[in-house]
Amino acid sequence: MAMNAKTTTLADFDPPLKPKRNKFAFVCATMASMTSVLLGYDIGVMSGAVIYIKDQFKISDVQVELLVGLLNIYSLIGSAAAGRTSDWIGRRWTIVIAATIFFAGALLMGFATSYAFLMVGRFVAGIGVGYGCMIAPVYTAELAPAASRGFLTSFPEVFINVGILLGYVSNYGFSKLAANIGWRFMLGIGAVPSILLALSVLAMPESPRWLVMQGRLADARRVLERTCSTTEEAQLRLNEIKDAAGIPGNCNDDVVRVNKRKNNGEGVWKELIVHPTRPVRHILMCALGIHFFQQCAGLDAVVLYSPRIFEKAGLNGNNEKLLATVAVGVVKTTFILVATFLLDRVGRRPLLLGSFAGMITSLATLGMSLTVIGQDPTRKVKWAVGLCISTVLSTVAFFSIGAGPITGVYSTEIFPLRLRAQGLSMGIATNRVVSGVISMTFLSLYKAITIGGAFFLFAGISTIGFFFFYMFYPETQGKTLEEIEGLFGSFINWRTANLDLKAAAPSGNMEKDDYDDKDKNNNYKNDNIQLASKD
């Protein structure tokens, strides 16, 4: 018997320890996601500020709808520009641009002397919001390791909710000032987080994927070594990014020449829209679909017009309505924090489907309670009032635990590197357009079909969304960004394809048998399952 034989102990049978979350990646994701505070604060603060703005400038409900909702349309300009800007100057400096533009918009709104002046401020702030909405999830997804990508990529949605809560608290706090001064402080104080964001970017590294796209392999390697748990993991991720960018795996130079035409956006729109492959078509459908149904569920109507909803429920004083909206903000923030810890444990699909199922029930119940209250506005039906308030809170809770964070996480991680910036900008554009339409038509809608009928409509749309997600959306939990493309292309039969992928690669990593750099559509070709074959 060999004397040096290793003695087996009970510890050898223990399961491997889960890798700890990288603290540096956590800090960077947190700072980048602060751009989402700008959007959240604007949404939350405007819901209360508009009460006083309407009285001071004597504007109609239609003008209120335009004031509240047009920011989403304006943000399209920022979102469209952010995709190309982030490919040109990098993800990090695009965050600085977002903060600077929003800072100017917040000051313009705070010093507005007329409705027209206020709308100019909204225009500028909207462009800054568009930049922030697009760049925060892209930067976070490209920096985060696969094991904690869901957790970290959900941060932008977390900070949107933090911003909404801060906006509600600002409404309540500054409502104690004179009516013509309080709303100016509510809007103008939004410049503060933008200053903090612009300063914090100095401590942030550039996205390793953007660095590889520029041929800066040494810089990308250094960033990955700081954001990954081990040097082996950093090297593996670098090789995957190089493969996706068309750089040979055996190339280890510090700086290399990269095909700028391929990686800086030229031809991307053609590949996304004109001649998409089956996987790209499936990815685009899923990305646009999740943004569409997230906003069509009517959550923006609940958040932006919560004082109106509570007024319909029988809360007449401004103080009562603003306090109730603070409760909405607290619930949203609490449940989004819960969701961040569930994304990488439970998975995307279960949370998304559970979220929409809960919203369908809550929206239908809210519509029913508001309908009962509306039958006789002079008589307060206590059970209906209580049910109305509780279902407003349950609606935002179910949204925040699934539909809110997963939309950003899912639509960011499913796009291949070469299509990510432009593809996500299309998703954000869809999100902002639908949000703008909901925001600008809610008052007119509920006057046409009653406020209860409006929420029945939102419940119906959410039901369609539930079945859409159930049929077409594969689970992406635990996959690297470079292998996720292989999950798409089978549409309804994606479950069978997913099983085949697992059989072909037991370790969980899709083996790419052949990557053809000369192929114009950059298709991955897998011998076991031909997901990327053109129609």
Side-chain angles (χ1 to χ4, degrees):
M1 179 182 294
M3 298 299 294
N4 59 349
K6 182 180 178 181
T7 303
T8 302
T9 65
L10 289 175
D12 294 326
F13 297 96
D14 291 341
L17 296 174
K18 291 184 65 177
K20 294 182 179 180
R21 288 195 172 101
N22 186 283
K23 293 180 180 179
F24 182 70
F26 177 89
V27 171
C28 292
T30 300
M31 291 190 293
S33 300
M34 282 179 61
T35 58
S36 300
V37 170
L38 308 180
L39 172 61
Y41 183 84
D42 190 273
I43 292 172
V45 79
M46 188 54 73
S47 67
V50 75
I51 299 173
Y52 305 99
I53 293 171
K54 183 178 181 181
D55 289 339
Q56 179 165 354
F57 293 141
K58 309 301 180 186
I59 57 178
S60 65
D61 277 347
V62 173
Q63 289 175 302
V64 168
E65 288 177 322
L66 292 174
L67 177 64
V68 170
L70 274 177
L71 178 131
N72 295 295
I73 306 301
Y74 297 150
S75 69
L76 294 176
I77 301 173
S79 294
R84 192 58 182 265
T85 303
S86 65
D87 281 347
W88 179 36
I89 65 173
R91 303 347 185 187
R92 191 171 68 142
W93 290 107
T94 304
I95 295 174
V96 176
I97 292 176
T100 304
I101 296 174
F102 188 86
F103 173 82
L107 290 183
L108 287 172
M109 289 190 291
F111 287 104
T113 56
S114 65
Y115 179 75
F117 194 158
L118 188 59
M119 291 298 285
V120 171
R122 295 290 280 172
F123 174 75
V124 176
I127 295 176
V129 164
Y131 264 92
C133 284
M134 186 271 173
I135 196 58
V138 167
Y139 178 88
T140 307
E142 293 184 347
L143 197 75
S148 58
R149 189 178 60 247
F151 175 73
L152 296 178
T153 313
S154 66
F155 277 21
E157 185 66 25
V158 171
F159 280 94
I160 286 177
N161 285 269
V162 170
I164 289 173
L165 178 58
L166 291 175
Y168 286 156
V169 172
S170 175
N171 286 154
Y172 183 72
F174 290 117
S175 66
K176 310 303 179 185
L177 300 177
N180 64 332
I181 297 295
W183 68 265
R184 298 182 184 279
F185 276 95
M186 294 175 191
L187 299 178
I189 204 71
V192 173
S194 61
I195 297 173
L196 298 176
L197 176 63
L199 294 176
S200 68
V201 80
L202 299 176
M204 294 163 54
E206 185 51 83
S207 157
R209 285 175 172 80
W210 183 83
L211 291 171
V212 171
M213 287 163 58
Q214 306 305 307
R216 296 162 56 183
L217 300 186
D219 291 338
R221 186 181 295 109
R222 281 192 288 270
V223 174
L224 287 169
E225 287 173 351
R226 297 187 69 186
T227 57
C228 294
S229 302
T230 64
T231 54
E232 291 78 10
E233 180 189 356
Q235 186 60 47
L236 177 63
R237 289 184 62 198
L238 179 61
N239 290 339
E240 290 172 341
I241 299 169
K242 285 160 60 179
D243 185 36
I247 300 174
N250 59 0
C251 178
N252 293 311
D253 295 339
D254 289 348
V255 180
V256 299
R257 185 182 181 87
V258 180
N259 187 339
K260 298 292 184 179
R261 178 181 178 84
K262 177 180 173 181
N263 288 313
N264 279 347
E266 296 182 33
V268 167
W269 294 112
K270 182 178 180 181
E271 186 175 353
L272 271 174
I273 301 173
V274 182
H275 298 298
T277 61
R278 280 180 66 87
V280 170
R281 189 180 298 122
H282 189 182
I283 288 169
L284 189 61
M285 181 190 74
C286 288
L288 300 185
I290 197 169
H291 279 283
F292 175 82
F293 282 109
Q294 183 206 44
Q295 292 301 330
C296 271
L299 201 279
D300 271 8
V302 175
V303 173
L304 286 167
Y305 296 104
S306 52
R308 292 274 187 131
I309 297 171
F310 291 130
E311 183 179 346
K312 291 290 183 181
L315 303 180
N316 296 317
N318 286 343
N319 197 53
E320 290 178 316
K321 288 184 285 187
L322 293 178
L323 271 177
T325 59
V326 171
V328 171
V330 170
V331 169
K332 276 183 65 63
T333 304
T334 300
F335 278 87
I336 193 68
L337 290 173
V338 172
T340 61
F341 293 98
L342 296 178
L343 275 167
D344 289 317
R345 298 180 182 181
V346 177
R348 282 53 157 165
R349 271 179 59 85
L351 284 179
L352 184 63
L353 295 174
S355 171
F356 266 80
M359 284 196 295
I360 291 166
T361 304
S362 296
L363 288 167
T365 308
L366 176 58
M368 183 270 291
S369 60
L370 286 168
T371 300
V372 170
I373 293 171
Q375 296 298 313
D376 186 2
T378 61
R379 185 171 67 92
K380 183 176 290 187
V381 184
K382 291 185 178 180
W383 67 265
V385 172
L387 192 60
C388 175
I389 295 173
S390 62
T391 49
V392 166
L393 298 179
S394 66
T395 298
V396 300
F398 279 116
F399 178 90
S400 296
I401 207 166
I406 291 173
T407 297
V409 172
Y410 200 89
S411 61
T412 300
E413 66 187 4
I414 62 177
F415 280 107
L417 172 63
R418 65 189 182 276
L419 308 177
R420 185 165 301 134
Q422 288 79 5
L424 186 60
S425 69
M426 290 178 65
I428 296 296
T430 302
N431 189 292
R432 294 298 89 200
V433 167
V434 178
S435 176
V437 170
I438 296 293
S439 303
M440 290 189 293
T441 60
F442 179 69
L443 297 181
S444 301
L445 177 67
Y446 89 63
K447 289 178 181 178
I449 64 173
T450 74
I451 191 168
F455 286 106
F456 281 129
L457 176 62
F458 293 144
I461 295 173
S462 298
T463 303
I464 298 172
F466 177 89
F467 287 105
F468 179 75
F469 299 138
Y470 181 80
M471 291 175 63
F472 297 112
Y473 281 59
E475 179 61 73
T476 58
Q477 178 190 11
K479 299 288 190 298
T480 66
L481 293 176
E482 281 65 43
E483 66 189 17
I484 282 177
E485 186 179 5
L487 297 173
F488 291 84
S490 296
F491 294 92
I492 295 177
N493 295 323
W494 58 265
R495 293 174 180 84
T496 303
N498 198 15
L499 292 175
D500 290 342
L501 277 175
K502 290 181 179 178
S507 64
N509 292 325
M510 185 184 72
E511 295 179 359
K512 304 171 185 67
D513 295 322
D514 181 32
Y515 182 81
D516 186 359
D517 288 326
K518 297 180 181 180
D519 184 47
K520 293 182 180 180
N521 290 316
N522 300 310
N523 296 329
Y524 284 105
K525 298 174 180 174
N526 190 292
D527 291 338
N528 295 310
I529 40 174
Q530 297 176 349
L531 294 180
S533 60
K534 291 186 284 187
D535 290 337

